């Protein structure tokens, strides 16, 4: 048996990464079905210490981690109610636009599932009303804000790898100002200085000579215009990655004002009890 100390850090980090991703989807109102392999159904209710556990016979640790970021959790450890639990989880995810958690005992996966021949659990969507004018105004305001804000790199290496493998022809702009400007204008500190990577070199390493990928760094407006022309011209069938180097203090008056207001709000003292 493996103890917590013997579990690889990669496995722990993968679990934490999945929790973070599911939490983000919950916050953004995105449906997601998170399927995980659970303990053998015969091990529930026993005192066995299992592989990849923390030396406790309670198998609910992972479930409890996901309870706060999912709108429904299903633990499937027998075939009698598997149909209802899984259907309910999927329909709940769709109705609530939130992630759900489904754990299926590892010994059930290769067994024929007569339960799934039953009628599906019925559900219906409530009509969602939308103010078209308000929606358009919100989109325009969001686009304007994103145009003036500088955010850290959100595209992961795995995303770029997948884009290359699937032959995507996107143009990716990475604005590199060496820090996290939005957080700087709220509360500055050394924690906002991001270790600078060779981002084009990273993408080149992921490319590894397989597929069509072109990268470049630009330092001024003229170089940016030239890079865009190349991406839309001779490299239009390639995945293009353009790193734009800007000064760390290159920001807008509006962002500075917004940061000041957020800083004031964050600094409020607790109310007296």
């Amino acid at each position: 048996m493996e103890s917590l100390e013997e579990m690889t850090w990669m496995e722990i980090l993968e679990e934490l990464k999945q929790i973070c991703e599911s939490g983000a989807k919950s916050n953004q109102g995105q449906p997601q079905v998170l399927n995980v392999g659970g303990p053998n159904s015969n091990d529930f209710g026993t005192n066995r210490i299992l592989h990849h556990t923390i030396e406790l016979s309670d198998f609910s640790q992972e479930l409890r981690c996901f309870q706060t970021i999912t709108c429904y959790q299903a633990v499937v450890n027998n075939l009698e109610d598997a149909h209802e639990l899984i259907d309910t989880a999927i329909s709940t995810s769709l109705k609530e636009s939130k992630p759900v958690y489904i754990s299926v005992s590892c010994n059930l996966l290769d067994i024929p599932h007569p339960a799934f021949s039953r009628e599906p659990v019925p559900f219906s969507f409530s009509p969602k009303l939308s103010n078209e004018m308000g929606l358009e105004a919100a989109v325009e305001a969001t686009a304007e804000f994103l145009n003036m804000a500088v955010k850290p790199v959100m595209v992961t290496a795995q995303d770029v790898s997948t884009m290359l493998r699937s032959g995507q022809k996107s143009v990716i702009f990475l604005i590199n100002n060496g820090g996290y400007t939005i957080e700087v204008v709220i509360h500055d500190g050394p924690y906002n200085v991001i270790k600078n990577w060779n981002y084009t070199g990273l993408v080149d390493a992921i490319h590894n000579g397989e597929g069509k990928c072109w990268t470049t760094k630009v330092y001024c407006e003229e170089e940016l215009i030239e890079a865009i022309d190349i991406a839309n011209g001779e490299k239009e069938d390639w995945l293009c990655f353009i790193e734009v180097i800007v000064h760390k203090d290159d920001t807008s008056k509006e962002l500075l004002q917004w940061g000041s207001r957020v800083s004031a709000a964050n600094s409020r003292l607790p109310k007296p009890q």
Side-chain angles (χ1 to χ4, degrees):
M1 299 299 175
E2 286 185 337
S3 68
L4 178 61
E5 291 77 17
E6 292 168 333
M7 291 178 67
T8 66
W9 279 109
M10 184 60 70
E11 292 166 340
I12 297 174
L13 290 173
E14 281 299 315
E15 290 285 344
L16 293 174
K17 176 184 175 184
Q18 184 60 65
I19 291 173
C20 291
E21 291 178 350
S22 297
K25 289 184 181 296
S26 178
N27 184 53
Q28 296 164 4
Q30 297 182 29
Q32 178 193 40
V33 177
L34 180 63
N35 294 309
V36 301
N40 186 293
S41 60
N42 298 303
D43 290 326
F44 285 88
T46 69
N47 291 321
R48 296 188 180 97
I49 304 300
L50 302 183
H51 181 67
H52 283 188
T53 66
I54 58 173
E55 297 188 335
L56 294 175
S57 57
D58 176 11
F59 307 143
S60 65
Q61 298 97 344
E62 183 180 76
L63 170 64
R64 295 199 301 271
C65 288
F66 283 95
Q67 277 179 331
T68 58
I69 57 174
T70 57
C71 64
Y72 184 85
Q73 305 83 38
V75 177
V76 180
N77 53 26
N78 68 81
L79 296 180
E80 293 301 317
D81 60 357
H83 158 263
E84 181 176 356
L85 288 172
I86 294 174
D87 267 12
T88 301
I90 295 173
S91 63
T92 302
S93 179
L94 293 173
K95 287 190 292 185
E96 301 293 334
S97 292
K98 298 285 185 181
V100 294
Y101 170 94
I102 303 177
S103 172
V104 181
S105 290
C106 57
N107 59 327
L108 302 183
L109 301 178
D110 296 326
I111 301 176
H113 292 189
F116 293 106
S117 62
R118 303 175 189 170
E119 290 296 319
V121 174
F123 71 96
S124 60
F125 292 106
S126 301
K128 295 184 177 180
L129 303 178
S130 175
N131 183 321
E132 186 173 349
M133 293 181 62
L135 178 61
E136 290 179 358
V139 170
E140 291 178 1
T142 302
E144 182 180 354
F145 177 79
L146 290 176
N147 285 334
M148 72 176 185
V150 180
K151 293 195 173 186
V153 181
M154 296 298 183
V155 178
T156 67
Q158 187 61 47
D159 292 329
V160 175
S161 179
T162 301
M163 295 169 77
L164 274 168
R165 180 166 52 85
S166 59
Q168 290 287 318
K169 304 174 183 179
S170 305
V171 180
I172 301 173
F173 294 91
L174 186 146
I175 312 300
N176 184 357
N177 66 349
Y180 198 171
T181 299
I182 289 182
E183 292 299 325
V184 168
V185 299
I186 296 174
H187 192 284
D188 198 9
Y191 39 80
N192 290 324
V193 179
I194 299 172
K195 172 66 177 72
N196 209 23
W197 293 2
N198 181 356
Y199 294 106
T200 55
L202 175 62
V203 175
D204 288 336
I206 297 170
H207 175 214
N208 197 28
E210 299 177 2
K212 295 181 177 181
C213 180
W214 176 70
T215 66
T216 188
K217 296 179 188 288
V218 298
Y219 296 86
C220 62
E221 184 177 353
E222 291 76 13
E223 292 178 353
L224 177 60
I225 294 173
E226 181 182 358
I228 293 174
D229 288 340
I230 293 174
N232 290 331
E234 59 185 279
K235 303 295 185 182
E236 64 176 348
D237 292 330
W238 295 45
L239 177 66
C240 297
F241 183 90
I242 302 174
E243 181 178 356
V244 183
I245 310 297
V246 299
H247 192 275
K248 64 182 182 66
D249 295 325
D250 186 357
T251 185
S252 65
K253 178 183 66 176
E254 291 79 8
L255 182 57
L256 292 173
Q257 293 171 344
W258 175 84
S260 177
R261 292 195 298 270
V262 174
S263 177
N266 290 347
S267 303
R268 290 174 297 173
L269 296 175
K271 294 181 179 180
Q273 298 295 325

